[in-house]
Amino acid sequence: MPLNGDEVIDPVMENGHAFLITTIGIVGIAMAVYYYYIYNREDFEEEEVEEEEQQQNYVPIKPRDFTLEELREFNGKDGAPLCVAVNFTVYDVTAGSNFYGPGGPYQMLAGRDGSRALAKMSLDPDDVRDSWDDLSDLTPFQQDSLQDWVMKFDTRYIKVGKLLKERSTSIPSKKEE
């Protein structure tokens, strides 16, 4: 009871904090139930088994350099490994087959030089070129973006070689050896 006869107002209820706290609690519980359902459903377990089988059957790509034509073979089709070139470095992205493999959001980059598309943050097929691209016309923003992608690829995937403009067919002289 108030000493002066005024009505007591609960400070928590005054500004609607109780409603907010209750709402946050309900949303949190709903999210927990959702994630529990997602990670405990049967098809999720099947996906994990498929990924484990793929990892067991995986044969690492031997490090070497690639021309654009040679790189095209590493597109993930018919069980082929997946490679993507980024800023003249070729990465084995087979571990990211859900992204780069058939049906993945970045499947257009599989077996290709994805540098321009990644630099421009574009999924436009015209940004994945079939001819040599020296990337000299990228803007500073696009160059920074490409370097961000290089850092991501460096931490997630295995470098397997360099992207060559063309394969040299000359035989090294004894001086070069």
Side-chain angles (χ1 to χ4, degrees):
M1 290 232 129
L3 297 177
N4 62 5
D6 292 338
E7 185 178 332
V8 175
I9 298 175
D10 184 358
V12 173
M13 297 299 287
E14 179 179 23
N15 294 322
H17 288 99
F19 174 76
L20 181 63
I21 291 170
T22 303
T23 304
I24 291 171
I26 291 171
V27 169
I29 290 170
M31 288 177 60
V33 169
Y34 171 76
Y35 283 111
Y36 178 81
Y37 167 75
I38 291 296
Y39 290 110
N40 290 304
R41 66 180 207 258
E42 289 179 22
D43 59 338
F44 181 76
E45 291 172 8
E46 290 172 8
E47 290 172 9
E48 285 181 337
V49 169
E50 285 178 24
E51 285 180 19
E52 287 176 16
E53 287 175 1
Q54 286 176 349
Q55 290 174 356
Q56 289 173 353
N57 296 333
Y58 174 71
V59 178
I61 298 170
K62 292 181 182 176
R64 66 184 186 112
D65 294 333
F66 301 79
T67 63
L68 285 167
E69 185 177 326
E70 293 166 344
L71 184 61
R72 294 296 300 243
E73 298 173 23
F74 296 87
N75 59 11
K77 294 179 183 170
D78 300 323
L82 288 160
C83 287
V84 174
V86 181
N87 204 26
F88 312 110
T89 300
V90 179
Y91 296 89
D92 179 350
V93 297
T94 306
S97 61
N98 53 332
F99 293 106
Y100 302 100
Y106 299 104
Q107 69 181 351
M108 63 188 266
L109 302 179
R112 314 277 295 279
D113 179 6
S115 303
R116 179 169 298 278
L118 293 170
K120 293 175 74 176
M121 296 184 200
S122 167
L123 293 178
D124 183 348
D126 292 336
D127 289 327
V128 182
R129 299 186 175 168
D130 289 321
S131 58
W132 180 257
D133 187 356
D134 66 6
L135 306 172
S136 62
D137 61 335
L138 293 179
T139 67
F141 176 79
Q142 292 168 340
Q143 291 171 0
D144 288 345
S145 176
L146 183 58
Q147 288 310 308
D148 289 344
W149 280 104
V150 167
M151 288 190 311
K152 288 176 188 173
F153 274 72
D154 281 346
T155 59
R156 294 183 182 151
Y157 303 113
I158 300 168
K159 290 181 188 179
V160 291
K162 292 286 182 190
L163 185 62
L164 305 173
K165 185 173 184 176
E166 56 188 36
R167 186 155 302 280
S168 173
T169 56
S170 64
I171 299 172
S173 67
K174 290 187 179 187
K175 291 180 186 176
E176 293 175 353
E177 293 176 351

PDB file of all heavy atoms in Angstrom, residues 113-140:
ATOM      1  N   ASP A 113      36.976 -20.163 -64.328  1.00  0.00           N
ATOM      2  CA  ASP A 113      37.600 -19.043 -63.626  1.00  0.00           C
ATOM      3  C   ASP A 113      36.469 -18.160 -63.112  1.00  0.00           C
ATOM      4  O   ASP A 113      35.796 -17.481 -63.882  1.00  0.00           O
ATOM      5  CB  ASP A 113      38.509 -18.259 -64.579  1.00  0.00           C
ATOM      6  CG  ASP A 113      39.170 -17.062 -63.914  1.00  0.00           C
ATOM      7  OD1 ASP A 113      39.027 -16.891 -62.684  1.00  0.00           O
ATOM      8  OD2 ASP A 113      39.830 -16.292 -64.628  1.00  0.00           O
ATOM      9  N   GLY A 114      36.249 -18.169 -61.816  1.00  0.00           N
ATOM     10  CA  GLY A 114      35.155 -17.418 -61.221  1.00  0.00           C
ATOM     11  C   GLY A 114      35.553 -16.038 -60.741  1.00  0.00           C
ATOM     12  O   GLY A 114      34.756 -15.348 -60.104  1.00  0.00           O
ATOM     13  N   SER A 115      36.760 -15.595 -61.059  1.00  0.00           N
ATOM     14  CA  SER A 115      37.293 -14.347 -60.512  1.00  0.00           C
ATOM     15  C   SER A 115      36.403 -13.143 -60.778  1.00  0.00           C
ATOM     16  O   SER A 115      36.061 -12.392 -59.865  1.00  0.00           O
ATOM     17  CB  SER A 115      38.691 -14.075 -61.078  1.00  0.00           C
ATOM     18  OG  SER A 115      39.548 -15.137 -60.797  1.00  0.00           O
ATOM     19  N   ARG A 116      36.038 -12.919 -62.028  1.00  0.00           N
ATOM     20  CA  ARG A 116      35.249 -11.734 -62.379  1.00  0.00           C
ATOM     21  C   ARG A 116      33.871 -11.783 -61.714  1.00  0.00           C
ATOM     22  O   ARG A 116      33.407 -10.798 -61.146  1.00  0.00           O
ATOM     23  CB  ARG A 116      35.108 -11.608 -63.895  1.00  0.00           C
ATOM     24  CG  ARG A 116      34.281 -10.397 -64.325  1.00  0.00           C
ATOM     25  CD  ARG A 116      34.390 -10.151 -65.811  1.00  0.00           C
ATOM     26  NE  ARG A 116      35.765  -9.846 -66.185  1.00  0.00           N
ATOM     27  CZ  ARG A 116      36.322  -8.644 -66.063  1.00  0.00           C
ATOM     28  NH1 ARG A 116      35.630  -7.626 -65.605  1.00  0.00           N
ATOM     29  NH2 ARG A 116      37.580  -8.450 -66.418  1.00  0.00           N
ATOM     30  N   ALA A 117      33.212 -12.922 -61.757  1.00  0.00           N
ATOM     31  CA  ALA A 117      31.883 -13.045 -61.150  1.00  0.00           C
ATOM     32  C   ALA A 117      31.946 -12.789 -59.646  1.00  0.00           C
ATOM     33  O   ALA A 117      31.098 -12.074 -59.096  1.00  0.00           O
ATOM     34  CB  ALA A 117      31.295 -14.421 -61.440  1.00  0.00           C
ATOM     35  N   LEU A 118      32.951 -13.347 -58.983  1.00  0.00           N
ATOM     36  CA  LEU A 118      33.084 -13.141 -57.545  1.00  0.00           C
ATOM     37  C   LEU A 118      33.424 -11.684 -57.235  1.00  0.00           C
ATOM     38  O   LEU A 118      32.883 -11.104 -56.292  1.00  0.00           O
ATOM     39  CB  LEU A 118      34.136 -14.087 -56.968  1.00  0.00           C
ATOM     40  CG  LEU A 118      33.760 -15.570 -57.017  1.00  0.00           C
ATOM     41  CD1 LEU A 118      34.964 -16.434 -56.650  1.00  0.00           C
ATOM     42  CD2 LEU A 118      32.587 -15.860 -56.110  1.00  0.00           C
ATOM     43  N   ALA A 119      34.325 -11.097 -58.014  1.00  0.00           N
ATOM     44  CA  ALA A 119      34.708  -9.696 -57.794  1.00  0.00           C
ATOM     45  C   ALA A 119      33.506  -8.770 -57.925  1.00  0.00           C
ATOM     46  O   ALA A 119      33.367  -7.806 -57.185  1.00  0.00           O
ATOM     47  CB  ALA A 119      35.800  -9.284 -58.772  1.00  0.00           C
ATOM     48  N   LYS A 120      32.638  -9.092 -58.877  1.00  0.00           N
ATOM     49  CA  LYS A 120      31.457  -8.258 -59.124  1.00  0.00           C
ATOM     50  C   LYS A 120      30.262  -8.697 -58.285  1.00  0.00           C
ATOM     51  O   LYS A 120      29.205  -8.085 -58.359  1.00  0.00           O
ATOM     52  CB  LYS A 120      31.092  -8.317 -60.608  1.00  0.00           C
ATOM     53  CG  LYS A 120      32.131  -7.669 -61.508  1.00  0.00           C
ATOM     54  CD  LYS A 120      31.804  -7.836 -62.968  1.00  0.00           C
ATOM     55  CE  LYS A 120      30.660  -6.949 -63.389  1.00  0.00           C
ATOM     56  NZ  LYS A 120      30.398  -7.026 -64.840  1.00  0.00           N
ATOM     57  N   MET A 121      30.451  -9.783 -57.513  1.00  0.00           N
ATOM     58  CA  MET A 121      29.349 -10.359 -56.736  1.00  0.00           C
ATOM     59  C   MET A 121      28.154 -10.617 -57.655  1.00  0.00           C
ATOM     60  O   MET A 121      27.031 -10.196 -57.376  1.00  0.00           O
ATOM     61  CB  MET A 121      28.984  -9.460 -55.560  1.00  0.00           C
ATOM     62  CG  MET A 121      30.087  -9.319 -54.563  1.00  0.00           C
ATOM     63  SD  MET A 121      29.548  -8.348 -53.162  1.00  0.00           S
ATOM     64  CE  MET A 121      31.113  -7.861 -52.501  1.00  0.00           C
ATOM     65  N   SER A 122      28.432 -11.309 -58.731  1.00  0.00           N
ATOM     66  CA  SER A 122      27.450 -11.510 -59.782  1.00  0.00           C
ATOM     67  C   SER A 122      27.296 -12.990 -60.105  1.00  0.00           C
ATOM     68  O   SER A 122      28.276 -13.738 -60.100  1.00  0.00           O
ATOM     69  CB  SER A 122      27.922 -10.764 -61.040  1.00  0.00           C
ATOM     70  OG  SER A 122      27.185 -11.156 -62.162  1.00  0.00           O
ATOM     71  N   LEU A 123      26.074 -13.388 -60.401  1.00  0.00           N
ATOM     72  CA  LEU A 123      25.822 -14.735 -60.891  1.00  0.00           C
ATOM     73  C   LEU A 123      25.420 -14.692 -62.361  1.00  0.00           C
ATOM     74  O   LEU A 123      24.860 -15.642 -62.891  1.00  0.00           O
ATOM     75  CB  LEU A 123      24.733 -15.414 -60.052  1.00  0.00           C
ATOM     76  CG  LEU A 123      25.132 -15.711 -58.606  1.00  0.00           C
ATOM     77  CD1 LEU A 123      23.970 -16.345 -57.855  1.00  0.00           C
ATOM     78  CD2 LEU A 123      26.344 -16.613 -58.545  1.00  0.00           C
ATOM     79  N   ASP A 124      25.747 -13.591 -63.016  1.00  0.00           N
ATOM     80  CA  ASP A 124      25.464 -13.436 -64.442  1.00  0.00           C
ATOM     81  C   ASP A 124      26.439 -14.322 -65.221  1.00  0.00           C
ATOM     82  O   ASP A 124      27.656 -14.201 -65.074  1.00  0.00           O
ATOM     83  CB  ASP A 124      25.646 -11.969 -64.845  1.00  0.00           C
ATOM     84  CG  ASP A 124      25.307 -11.692 -66.293  1.00  0.00           C
ATOM     85  OD1 ASP A 124      25.135 -12.649 -67.069  1.00  0.00           O
ATOM     86  OD2 ASP A 124      25.214 -10.502 -66.648  1.00  0.00           O
ATOM     87  N   PRO A 125      25.922 -15.232 -66.057  1.00  0.00           N
ATOM     88  CA  PRO A 125      26.809 -16.120 -66.824  1.00  0.00           C
ATOM     89  C   PRO A 125      27.834 -15.367 -67.678  1.00  0.00           C
ATOM     90  O   PRO A 125      28.911 -15.893 -67.946  1.00  0.00           O
ATOM     91  CB  PRO A 125      25.853 -16.915 -67.710  1.00  0.00           C
ATOM     92  CG  PRO A 125      24.541 -16.862 -67.008  1.00  0.00           C
ATOM     93  CD  PRO A 125      24.510 -15.539 -66.297  1.00  0.00           C
ATOM     94  N   ASP A 126      27.545 -14.143 -68.078  1.00  0.00           N
ATOM     95  CA  ASP A 126      28.499 -13.364 -68.875  1.00  0.00           C
ATOM     96  C   ASP A 126      29.743 -12.982 -68.078  1.00  0.00           C
ATOM     97  O   ASP A 126      30.767 -12.628 -68.653  1.00  0.00           O
ATOM     98  CB  ASP A 126      27.840 -12.093 -69.422  1.00  0.00           C
ATOM     99  CG  ASP A 126      26.769 -12.399 -70.457  1.00  0.00           C
ATOM    100  OD1 ASP A 126      26.825 -13.486 -71.078  1.00  0.00           O
ATOM    101  OD2 ASP A 126      25.867 -11.559 -70.638  1.00  0.00           O
ATOM    102  N   ASP A 127      29.645 -13.035 -66.754  1.00  0.00           N
ATOM    103  CA  ASP A 127      30.792 -12.700 -65.916  1.00  0.00           C
ATOM    104  C   ASP A 127      31.714 -13.888 -65.672  1.00  0.00           C
ATOM    105  O   ASP A 127      32.745 -13.757 -65.011  1.00  0.00           O
ATOM    106  CB  ASP A 127      30.327 -12.110 -64.582  1.00  0.00           C
ATOM    107  CG  ASP A 127      29.742 -10.722 -64.759  1.00  0.00           C
ATOM    108  OD1 ASP A 127      30.221  -9.986 -65.643  1.00  0.00           O
ATOM    109  OD2 ASP A 127      28.797 -10.375 -64.023  1.00  0.00           O
ATOM    110  N   VAL A 128      31.337 -15.054 -66.183  1.00  0.00           N
ATOM    111  CA  VAL A 128      32.205 -16.234 -66.133  1.00  0.00           C
ATOM    112  C   VAL A 128      32.633 -16.485 -67.567  1.00  0.00           C
ATOM    113  O   VAL A 128      31.884 -16.995 -68.377  1.00  0.00           O
ATOM    114  CB  VAL A 128      31.460 -17.457 -65.558  1.00  0.00           C
ATOM    115  CG1 VAL A 128      32.402 -18.644 -65.463  1.00  0.00           C
ATOM    116  CG2 VAL A 128      30.884 -17.144 -64.196  1.00  0.00           C
ATOM    117  N   ARG A 129      33.847 -16.096 -67.863  1.00  0.00           N
ATOM    118  CA  ARG A 129      34.318 -16.103 -69.250  1.00  0.00           C
ATOM    119  C   ARG A 129      35.020 -17.412 -69.602  1.00  0.00           C
ATOM    120  O   ARG A 129      35.644 -18.042 -68.755  1.00  0.00           O
ATOM    121  CB  ARG A 129      35.246 -14.919 -69.477  1.00  0.00           C
ATOM    122  CG  ARG A 129      34.512 -13.603 -69.234  1.00  0.00           C
ATOM    123  CD  ARG A 129      35.349 -12.432 -69.576  1.00  0.00           C
ATOM    124  NE  ARG A 129      34.561 -11.205 -69.429  1.00  0.00           N
ATOM    125  CZ  ARG A 129      35.089 -10.016 -69.444  1.00  0.00           C
ATOM    126  NH1 ARG A 129      36.389  -9.862 -69.613  1.00  0.00           N
ATOM    127  NH2 ARG A 129      34.323  -8.954 -69.301  1.00  0.00           N
ATOM    128  N   ASP A 130      34.921 -17.755 -70.888  1.00  0.00           N
ATOM    129  CA  ASP A 130      35.582 -18.959 -71.385  1.00  0.00           C
ATOM    130  C   ASP A 130      36.954 -18.655 -71.978  1.00  0.00           C
ATOM    131  O   ASP A 130      37.662 -19.564 -72.382  1.00  0.00           O
ATOM    132  CB  ASP A 130      34.705 -19.636 -72.454  1.00  0.00           C
ATOM    133  CG  ASP A 130      33.474 -20.270 -71.834  1.00  0.00           C
ATOM    134  OD1 ASP A 130      33.589 -20.844 -70.743  1.00  0.00           O
ATOM    135  OD2 ASP A 130      32.399 -20.187 -72.450  1.00  0.00           O
ATOM    136  N   SER A 131      37.306 -17.389 -72.037  1.00  0.00           N
ATOM    137  CA  SER A 131      38.621 -17.007 -72.547  1.00  0.00           C
ATOM    138  C   SER A 131      39.423 -16.377 -71.407  1.00  0.00           C
ATOM    139  O   SER A 131      38.877 -16.013 -70.368  1.00  0.00           O
ATOM    140  CB  SER A 131      38.478 -16.033 -73.715  1.00  0.00           C
ATOM    141  OG  SER A 131      37.763 -14.885 -73.318  1.00  0.00           O
ATOM    142  N   TRP A 132      40.719 -16.232 -71.630  1.00  0.00           N
ATOM    143  CA  TRP A 132      41.609 -15.678 -70.612  1.00  0.00           C
ATOM    144  C   TRP A 132      41.147 -14.282 -70.203  1.00  0.00           C
ATOM    145  O   TRP A 132      40.816 -13.460 -71.036  1.00  0.00           O
ATOM    146  CB  TRP A 132      43.034 -15.639 -71.137  1.00  0.00           C
ATOM    147  CG  TRP A 132      43.995 -15.082 -70.133  1.00  0.00           C
ATOM    148  CD1 TRP A 132      44.534 -13.827 -70.123  1.00  0.00           C
ATOM    149  CD2 TRP A 132      44.511 -15.748 -68.993  1.00  0.00           C
ATOM    150  NE1 TRP A 132      45.364 -13.688 -69.048  1.00  0.00           N
ATOM    151  CE2 TRP A 132      45.367 -14.853 -68.330  1.00  0.00           C
ATOM    152  CE3 TRP A 132      44.342 -17.023 -68.457  1.00  0.00           C
ATOM    153  CZ2 TRP A 132      46.043 -15.185 -67.165  1.00  0.00           C
ATOM    154  CZ3 TRP A 132      45.026 -17.354 -67.306  1.00  0.00           C
ATOM    155  CH2 TRP A 132      45.868 -16.445 -66.669  1.00  0.00           C
ATOM    156  N   ASP A 133      41.128 -14.041 -68.925  1.00  0.00           N
ATOM    157  CA  ASP A 133      40.698 -12.752 -68.388  1.00  0.00           C
ATOM    158  C   ASP A 133      41.797 -12.254 -67.458  1.00  0.00           C
ATOM    159  O   ASP A 133      42.038 -12.845 -66.409  1.00  0.00           O
ATOM    160  CB  ASP A 133      39.379 -12.932 -67.631  1.00  0.00           C
ATOM    161  CG  ASP A 133      38.762 -11.619 -67.176  1.00  0.00           C
ATOM    162  OD1 ASP A 133      39.383 -10.554 -67.371  1.00  0.00           O
ATOM    163  OD2 ASP A 133      37.652 -11.662 -66.613  1.00  0.00           O
ATOM    164  N   ASP A 134      42.459 -11.163 -67.838  1.00  0.00           N
ATOM    165  CA  ASP A 134      43.550 -10.652 -66.999  1.00  0.00           C
ATOM    166  C   ASP A 134      43.045  -9.790 -65.840  1.00  0.00           C
ATOM    167  O   ASP A 134      43.831  -9.347 -65.009  1.00  0.00           O
ATOM    168  CB  ASP A 134      44.583  -9.901 -67.825  1.00  0.00           C
ATOM    169  CG  ASP A 134      44.052  -8.615 -68.448  1.00  0.00           C
ATOM    170  OD1 ASP A 134      42.901  -8.215 -68.168  1.00  0.00           O
ATOM    171  OD2 ASP A 134      44.805  -8.006 -69.220  1.00  0.00           O
ATOM    172  N   LEU A 135      41.754  -9.523 -65.789  1.00  0.00           N
ATOM    173  CA  LEU A 135      41.103  -8.797 -64.687  1.00  0.00           C
ATOM    174  C   LEU A 135      41.599  -7.362 -64.541  1.00  0.00           C
ATOM    175  O   LEU A 135      41.360  -6.719 -63.522  1.00  0.00           O
ATOM    176  CB  LEU A 135      41.284  -9.543 -63.357  1.00  0.00           C
ATOM    177  CG  LEU A 135      40.847 -11.007 -63.338  1.00  0.00           C
ATOM    178  CD1 LEU A 135      41.259 -11.663 -62.028  1.00  0.00           C
ATOM    179  CD2 LEU A 135      39.358 -11.133 -63.568  1.00  0.00           C
ATOM    180  N   SER A 136      42.265  -6.834 -65.550  1.00  0.00           N
ATOM    181  CA  SER A 136      42.863  -5.507 -65.462  1.00  0.00           C
ATOM    182  C   SER A 136      41.839  -4.380 -65.426  1.00  0.00           C
ATOM    183  O   SER A 136      42.158  -3.274 -64.996  1.00  0.00           O
ATOM    184  CB  SER A 136      43.832  -5.278 -66.626  1.00  0.00           C
ATOM    185  OG  SER A 136      43.134  -5.346 -67.855  1.00  0.00           O
ATOM    186  N   ASP A 137      40.608  -4.658 -65.822  1.00  0.00           N
ATOM    187  CA  ASP A 137      39.600  -3.602 -65.845  1.00  0.00           C
ATOM    188  C   ASP A 137      38.694  -3.596 -64.610  1.00  0.00           C
ATOM    189  O   ASP A 137      37.715  -2.859 -64.562  1.00  0.00           O
ATOM    190  CB  ASP A 137      38.740  -3.720 -67.119  1.00  0.00           C
ATOM    191  CG  ASP A 137      37.997  -5.035 -67.195  1.00  0.00           C
ATOM    192  OD1 ASP A 137      38.449  -6.025 -66.577  1.00  0.00           O
ATOM    193  OD2 ASP A 137      36.952  -5.073 -67.867  1.00  0.00           O
ATOM    194  N   LEU A 138      39.030  -4.374 -63.589  1.00  0.00           N
ATOM    195  CA  LEU A 138      38.235  -4.360 -62.366  1.00  0.00           C
ATOM    196  C   LEU A 138      38.419  -3.032 -61.633  1.00  0.00           C
ATOM    197  O   LEU A 138      39.517  -2.485 -61.593  1.00  0.00           O
ATOM    198  CB  LEU A 138      38.640  -5.505 -61.430  1.00  0.00           C
ATOM    199  CG  LEU A 138      38.342  -6.927 -61.894  1.00  0.00           C
ATOM    200  CD1 LEU A 138      38.834  -7.926 -60.848  1.00  0.00           C
ATOM    201  CD2 LEU A 138      36.870  -7.130 -62.182  1.00  0.00           C
ATOM    202  N   THR A 139      37.345  -2.550 -61.051  1.00  0.00           N
ATOM    203  CA  THR A 139      37.411  -1.315 -60.270  1.00  0.00           C
ATOM    204  C   THR A 139      38.126  -1.600 -58.944  1.00  0.00           C
ATOM    205  O   THR A 139      38.251  -2.769 -58.548  1.00  0.00           O
ATOM    206  CB  THR A 139      35.998  -0.784 -59.966  1.00  0.00           C
ATOM    207  OG1 THR A 139      35.346  -1.709 -59.073  1.00  0.00           O
ATOM    208  CG2 THR A 139      35.174  -0.599 -61.242  1.00  0.00           C
ATOM    209  N   PRO A 140      38.573  -0.572 -58.243  1.00  0.00           N
ATOM    210  CA  PRO A 140      39.192  -0.808 -56.934  1.00  0.00           C
ATOM    211  C   PRO A 140      38.262  -1.564 -55.971  1.00  0.00           C
ATOM    212  O   PRO A 140      38.715  -2.441 -55.237  1.00  0.00           O
ATOM    213  CB  PRO A 140      39.498   0.605 -56.418  1.00  0.00           C
ATOM    214  CG  PRO A 140      39.703   1.407 -57.665  1.00  0.00           C
ATOM    215  CD  PRO A 140      38.713   0.847 -58.652  1.00  0.00           C
TER     216      PRO A 140
END
